[in-house]
Amino acid sequence: MSTVRKGEAGDRFEIVDDAGVVAGRAYFVEAAGARVFFHTKVDDAYAGQGLGRELVVAALDATRADGLRVMPVCPYVAKVVAGDQRWADLVVPVTQEGLDAIEARTQR
């Protein structure tokens, strides 16, 4: 059993196992009315368990609930949204503004 939560820093979603260990993260910045997802990582010890998809789907659901769009810079997030039409209304094209926001966040 796992749980997805927003990380304390407010810049990621985390998937946590039943022992409370963070197994994976989906990082984002907000720009232009969108969550710009730029990196998703599941720790090697949890590989092959479907946690990456579970994490991204929960992050997309939360993004919809928050009234934001999704800019899928992360290849894995792009793959998830491309493979399921229920996200089509959320996805916006990658823009320079989104890429600049990622760069500004990673420069901190």
Side-chain angles (χ1 to χ4, degrees):
M1 183 73 177
S2 55
T3 304
V4 175
R5 66 183 185 202
K6 201 167 187 184
E8 289 182 24
D11 65 347
R12 74 194 81 184
F13 287 91
E14 301 171 335
I15 191 160
V16 181
D17 71 11
D18 44 347
V21 176
V22 176
R25 297 159 190 86
Y27 294 91
F28 66 87
V29 293
E30 291 185 7
R35 276 203 180 119
V36 184
F37 287 93
F38 63 91
H39 184 64
T40 303
K41 172 75 173 131
V42 173
D43 294 339
D44 291 343
Y46 298 90
Q49 299 179 31
L51 296 183
R53 180 169 177 76
E54 184 179 340
L55 170 61
V56 170
V57 166
L60 294 171
D61 284 342
T63 299
R64 182 186 304 277
D66 290 342
L68 296 169
R69 309 291 286 217
V70 172
M71 190 179 299
V73 175
C74 168
Y76 187 73
V77 174
K79 178 181 172 182
V80 171
V81 297
D84 191 331
Q85 286 299 90
R86 69 181 150 158
W87 312 116
D89 64 314
L90 286 186
V91 178
V92 296
V94 174
T95 64
Q96 189 61 50
E97 183 179 357
L99 297 175
D100 290 347
I102 294 166
E103 185 174 348
R105 189 262 185 210
T106 57
Q107 300 280 324
R108 290 192 235 161

